Amino acid sequence: MTQLPNNSSQLTPEELQTNRLNDRKRQRVLGMIAMGSSRRQAAKIVGMHAATIGRAIARDPKFAEEMREAEMLGRNRPLRAMFDAMDKHWR
């Protein structure tokens, strides 16, 4: 399962300037996708083009699987929030 990044995993300016998708950037992207961001939004935040993420997915089956899991979590997030709200506010 994908681990969400914590606040201490802020990317350094040097990491933001490189177009390489290193492990920290991958974890950051996966975390943002799991929270409901699009690939394009996540790519912009880590300082790269969405196509770079797409190429990494095509090259790395493990990353592709992690991305599928994160996207499923991200898609289900609004639905989970509605069910949680129904439990608390039944009227």
Side-chain angles (χ1 to χ4, degrees), residues 7 10 30 33 39 60 63 71:
N7 290 337
Q10 298 295 321
L30 290 170
I33 297 291
R39 287 184 188 181
D60 185 351
F63 183 53
E71 287 174 334

Side-chain angles (χ1 to χ4, degrees), residues 11-80:
L11 298 173
T12 65
E14 293 80 23
E15 287 177 308
L16 286 171
Q17 289 176 352
T18 182
N19 287 331
R20 301 199 72 185
L21 188 58
N22 61 29
D23 288 338
R24 283 178 52 133
K25 283 186 179 182
R26 282 180 189 227
Q27 291 306 311
R28 183 79 177 214
V29 165
L30 290 170
M32 287 185 285
I33 297 291
M35 296 300 288
S37 295
S38 68
R39 287 184 188 181
R40 186 174 298 193
Q41 290 168 329
K44 185 176 181 180
I45 289 172
V46 298
M48 62 182 43
H49 196 276
T52 305
I53 294 172
R55 286 190 297 272
I57 290 168
R59 278 193 313 266
D60 185 351
K62 181 179 180 237
F63 183 53
E65 179 59 30
E66 291 172 337
M67 181 61 77
R68 278 191 291 277
E69 288 179 20
E71 287 174 334
M72 287 294 254
L73 286 172
R75 278 190 216 117
N76 293 332
R77 191 170 179 77
L79 187 59
R80 282 194 320 250

